[in-house]
């Protein structure tokens, strides 16, 4: 899916940036333990599918940024990964 079409599709809670093409979302948690568990689960998911997002985290939040592969437009695989990350985070809310 090209970035031009991405503006017509909503990935729940994710912000779409055009330059560089990426999706970004902050997830807030109630404790450090939840944050750490989310990060561990996210690492397992990333290893399983081969998509490694950029992360910024602190005690009770994680910001996940999914960039387009090879500096091209965002593809369906990045949108699917964002949805999978949403599902992971839902376990901790």
């Amino acid at each position: 899916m090209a970035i031009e079409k991405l503006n017509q599709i909503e990935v729940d809670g994710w912000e779409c940036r055009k330059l560089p093409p990426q999706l970004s979302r902050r997830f807030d948690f109630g404790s450090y333990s939840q944050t750490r568990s989310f990060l561990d689960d996210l690492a397992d998911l990333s290893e399983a599918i081969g998509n490694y997002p950029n992360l910024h985290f602190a005690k009770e939040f994680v910001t996940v940024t999914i960039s387009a592969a090879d500096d091209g437009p965002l593809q369906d695989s990045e949108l699917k990964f964002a949805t999978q990350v949403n599902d992971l985070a839902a376990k901790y809310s």
Side-chain angles (χ1 to χ4, degrees), residues 37-80:
S37 294
F38 172 76
L39 287 168
D40 289 341
D41 288 347
L42 181 56
D44 291 341
L45 175 62
S46 293
E47 287 289 330
I49 65 172
N51 192 325
Y52 302 94
N54 290 320
L55 304 173
H56 176 241
F57 59 92
K59 182 179 176 184
E60 295 180 349
F61 78 87
V62 177
T63 301
V64 180
T65 302
I66 301 170
S67 298
D70 301 323
D71 296 324
L74 289 164
Q75 302 293 318
D76 287 334
S77 59
E78 283 95 17
L79 299 174
K80 181 178 178 183

Side-chain angles (χ1 to χ4, degrees), residues 7 26-27 31-32 55 81 91:
N7 291 330
R26 177 179 164 139
F27 296 93
S31 68
Y32 175 74
L55 304 173
F81 182 55
K91 293 180 6 181

Side-chain angles (χ1 to χ4, degrees), residues 7-25:
N7 291 330
Q8 299 171 6
I9 295 176
E10 293 182 19
V11 181
D12 188 33
W14 290 80
E15 176 186 343
C16 174
R17 297 182 185 143
K18 290 184 179 182
L19 295 174
Q22 58 187 211
L23 297 168
S24 184
R25 180 169 182 189

